[in-house]
Amino acid sequence: MVVDLNKCIGCQACTVACKAEFNVPTGVFRTWVREFEDGIFPNVKVQFLPSLCNQCDDPPCVPVCPVKAIYKQEDGAVLIDAEECIGCGYCVQACPYNAIFLNPQTQVAEKCTFCINRVEQGLAPACVQTCVGGARIFGDLADEHSSVSELANSKAVQVLKPDMGTEPMVYYIGLDGKLAARVNRGGN
Amino acid sequence: MVAVYLFFVGVSAGSYVLASLPFALGLRRYEPLSKLALISAIIFAILAPLAITPHLTQPSRLFSLLFSFHQTSPLSWGTYILSAYVLAMLAYGRFSFRGDLIQRMEEESGLKASFYRALALWQTSLSEESLKTDRKFAKVSGYVALALAFLTVYTGFELGVIRAQPLWHLSISPIMFLLTALSSGFAFALSLYLVAERYFSKTRRWNMEATSGVSILLAWLLAAFLVLNAMQAILSQYTTADARFAFEYLVTGPLSTTFVWVGILLGGVVPFLIFTMPVTRKSPQLVLVGSALALVGSFATKYGVLISAQLVPKTGTTFLAYTPSLIEFAEFAGVVSLGAFLFTVVLWVLPWQQRFRLGVGV
């Protein structure tokens, strides 16, 4: 997935679509849009950062799971087997992107799956389908002719926390400067 | 409750190392504490998984940990290590305690005698041949349990492998866990010995040579604990910006009182002074206070590191807040009460004061 931050207007339509698609309870999110304020009054601006599981190529959540409930498919999707998860929360700690949570209703770990249920039926992920500004572009990165590949290859793209070495599969356009520094260095 | 689990595993491993000093290193001066230390090690190893179970959102699936080994997960390794460790200690206890049980059985009559016979698994012979078998199996199971006690350092790896938490992801994390395991285990066994000899024994007298010996060991362990914390502080300044920030937040943020004042000063420096100075070391009451403080220090530093790291946002700028819930307090009280109950029953029932000499140290 490629997320063009220049097109995100922070409407949270993606957050709502995802909640509706997966019946995600209040207080937890599979995807959400974070807001960052920058500048000093009166010269201030708000920047938006759509956040979700990065479906890492080297996902740190997978090796720590004690019961192999999290696994990576050949197509690149990192999934959680709800029938196997014991709810220890180890993956929640291991994820550098805060993308995994313990669902208070199902009592198991949960996260974005790139809407694999929809993709298998030829549909776009719910957040991509609903994005007002067309900021989320989804496709097969292995296919060099896909729109997502063309974007990733033609534009300057960044990933979150590149120093973690997780090789995320979510690329951002416009994630640079102060925003990148604030996002990538937790707390400081 | 995760901090309690990590703490309990450490206390168990440290207690067992103390229990094994007579047979593993021939340090017979610690024999008066070894049976109590073994009892502590077994009870804490049983309590540890009970402490972590309420933390799981699917506690009914706890046993699936035993049937789905994942070689890259320290938690998976820990399941097998802890299980094998408990079994090895129980085996060691059975073979090394059998002589004491039979002695007690012979002192009692009727139902009580039958009870001790059952505890000895109805093997009541004290012939040289049966004692030889006991010695053999006690030695094997004792060394296996000792190796597994050191392997419980997996708890350090549980935190150390998490790259996303820079405060945990330090190469000295496992060493720190090993060290606090030894200090907390020694401190608990020493406290138990002082309390049990005072309130549960017939003699009501302390063996000051053993007490003083463990105090000196504790002084060394606490010195190493303080040095390692200083090393952690220095190293965190030169690794990554995230690690530096996380450590600064630990010593200046909401957990600073817990970590610095309670963990390092009250639980490290003060007991170190108590155990170092000959005047204070000779006072059982002060040694008991020092041991209790060392235990508190071990828990407080673990709690501080565990919680403080989670308050720092991994991405973004919004800090999190954490206050233990009433349910967590209730769970903590439940596990501690169960521990107190087990210790009371075991000290009442098991012949920990018998001095049957099997010949392997206990």
Side-chain angles (χ1 to χ4, degrees):
Chain A
M1 181 181 285
V2 170
V3 182
D4 189 344
L5 299 184
N6 301 318
K7 292 181 178 176
C8 179
I9 59 169
C11 65
Q12 302 282 3
C14 52
T15 310
V16 175
C18 178
K19 287 249 179 193
E21 180 73 24
F22 294 101
N23 199 21
V24 182
T26 313
V28 286
F29 304 88
R30 284 178 167 223
T31 187
W32 69 109
V33 181
R34 285 187 286 173
E35 296 183 10
F36 294 88
E37 288 178 17
D38 188 29
I40 299 170
F41 182 81
N43 300 315
V44 292
K45 64 174 179 179
V46 177
Q47 291 173 293
F48 303 106
L49 183 79
S51 304
L52 66 164
C53 169
N54 283 236
Q55 313 291 342
C56 308
D57 204 29
D58 186 8
C61 53
V62 171
V64 298
C65 177
V67 292
K68 298 182 185 172
I70 306 191
Y71 57 98
K72 188 171 175 64
Q73 291 199 142
E74 278 189 16
D75 61 8
V78 179
L79 304 177
I80 298 174
D81 186 341
E83 299 297 316
E84 294 294 326
C85 175
I86 62 169
C88 65
Y90 208 8
C91 54
V92 177
Q93 297 300 333
C95 175
Y97 309 108
N98 274 337
I100 310 178
F101 59 92
L102 290 166
N103 186 319
Q105 282 177 354
T106 60
Q107 302 289 339
V108 292
E110 199 174 300
K111 65 175 193 65
C112 165
T113 60
F114 270 172
C115 279
I116 193 153
N117 54 320
R118 290 171 60 91
V119 172
E120 282 174 350
Q121 293 174 40
L123 300 169
C127 58
V128 175
Q129 179 97 20
T130 199
C131 183
V132 177
R136 296 188 185 220
I137 301 97
F138 179 77
D140 185 0
L141 279 166
D143 176 6
E144 58 182 24
H145 301 297
S146 66
S147 56
V148 73
S149 279
E150 284 174 4
L151 262 178
N153 293 328
S154 62
K155 300 261 186 179
V157 291
Q158 300 83 25
V159 295
L160 291 176
K161 294 208 157 202
D163 55 317
M164 282 284 156
T166 55
E167 297 180 46
M169 289 294 117
V170 174
Y171 295 92
Y172 290 90
I173 296 171
L175 177 66
D176 42 26
K178 277 187 185 173
L179 179 62
R182 292 174 75 182
V183 169
N184 290 331
R185 291 173 61 178
N188 51 356
Chain B
M1 291 305 284
V2 176
V4 177
Y5 154 76
L6 298 173
F7 177 67
F8 280 3
V9 173
V11 174
S12 173
S15 297
Y16 187 77
V17 171
L18 181 62
S20 70
L21 288 180
F23 80 80
L25 296 176
L27 300 172
R28 298 209 170 274
R29 66 191 298 202
Y30 303 112
E31 269 185 11
L33 283 87
S34 55
K35 278 178 185 155
L36 287 173
L38 176 63
I39 289 168
S40 308
I42 293 172
I43 290 179
F44 274 104
I46 292 168
L47 288 176
L50 294 179
I52 194 79
T53 306
H55 170 75
L56 306 179
T57 54
Q58 291 285 352
S60 61
R61 295 180 186 171
L62 177 73
F63 290 102
S64 65
L65 281 164
L66 286 169
F67 305 108
S68 50
F69 175 62
H70 195 184
Q71 69 278 7
T72 54
S73 172
L75 192 53
S76 186
W77 280 96
T79 307
Y80 296 97
I81 290 169
L82 199 58
S83 307
Y85 173 55
V86 172
L87 291 176
M89 282 196 296
L90 286 173
Y92 175 66
R94 187 258 181 253
F95 290 112
S96 57
F97 258 106
R98 199 179 69 91
D100 301 288
L101 291 168
I102 294 162
Q103 272 189 350
R104 176 62 75 87
M105 181 196 80
E106 287 167 353
E107 289 166 17
E108 304 286 354
S109 59
L111 207 59
K112 278 188 176 177
S114 303
F115 175 73
Y116 287 108
R117 188 180 293 116
L119 279 183
L121 299 181
W122 295 277
Q123 290 187 328
T124 54
S125 168
L126 286 180
S127 65
E128 188 46 44
E129 195 169 334
S130 61
L131 291 179
K132 197 177 162 187
T133 310
D134 280 359
R135 272 194 291 274
K136 192 171 126 189
F137 283 106
K139 200 171 183 177
V140 171
S141 54
Y143 278 111
V144 168
L146 184 58
L148 290 165
F150 281 104
L151 286 179
T152 60
V153 75
Y154 77 84
T155 49
F157 287 99
E158 279 180 350
L159 298 194
V161 299
I162 303 294
R163 264 183 297 172
Q165 295 287 12
L167 194 58
W168 301 350
H169 190 55
L170 295 171
S171 49
I172 59 172
S173 282
I175 303 167
M176 184 73 91
F177 269 71
L178 186 62
L179 204 60
T180 50
L182 292 174
S183 64
S184 58
F186 282 27
F188 185 85
L190 184 56
S191 310
L192 182 66
Y193 172 73
L194 292 169
V195 172
E197 283 290 349
R198 177 71 182 80
Y199 296 105
F200 289 86
S201 79
K202 290 168 190 161
T203 57
R204 305 203 165 197
R205 288 174 65 184
W206 293 298
N207 180 321
M208 286 314 292
E209 192 198 354
T211 308
S212 185
V214 179
S215 298
I216 292 168
L217 289 177
L218 270 168
W220 281 105
L221 288 168
L222 288 167
F225 165 72
L226 293 170
V227 169
L228 210 59
N229 270 291
M231 285 165 67
Q232 183 176 345
I234 295 165
L235 282 174
S236 67
Q237 300 301 303
Y238 294 93
T239 47
T240 62
D242 282 357
R244 184 171 66 240
F245 183 81
F247 189 80
E248 283 169 4
Y249 194 68
L250 173 66
V251 296
T252 59
L255 270 298
S256 60
T257 306
T258 307
F259 183 78
V260 180
W261 295 100
V262 180
I264 302 293
L265 293 174
L266 198 64
V269 176
V270 174
F272 170 73
L273 294 174
I274 290 175
F275 295 133
T276 309
M277 292 189 290
V279 182
T280 48
R281 200 169 59 221
K282 283 174 186 159
S283 160
Q285 287 80 9
L286 281 176
V287 167
L288 183 59
V289 170
S291 302
L293 288 177
L295 271 174
V296 170
S298 171
F299 180 74
T301 48
K302 278 192 173 77
Y303 183 84
V305 169
L306 193 77
I307 302 299
S308 180
Q310 295 179 66
L311 301 184
V312 179
K314 290 174 183 169
T315 61
T317 52
T318 309
F319 284 82
L320 305 171
Y322 172 74
T323 310
S325 65
L326 270 179
I327 290 175
E328 285 174 302
F329 275 119
E331 288 166 355
F332 178 70
V335 173
V336 171
S337 305
L338 178 62
F341 172 75
L342 287 175
F343 272 109
T344 309
V345 169
V346 166
L347 291 184
W348 178 50
V349 169
L350 278 186
W352 56 274
Q353 296 173 77
Q354 305 283 125
R355 292 285 179 259
F356 183 83
R357 186 174 283 277
L358 182 61
V360 290
V362 291

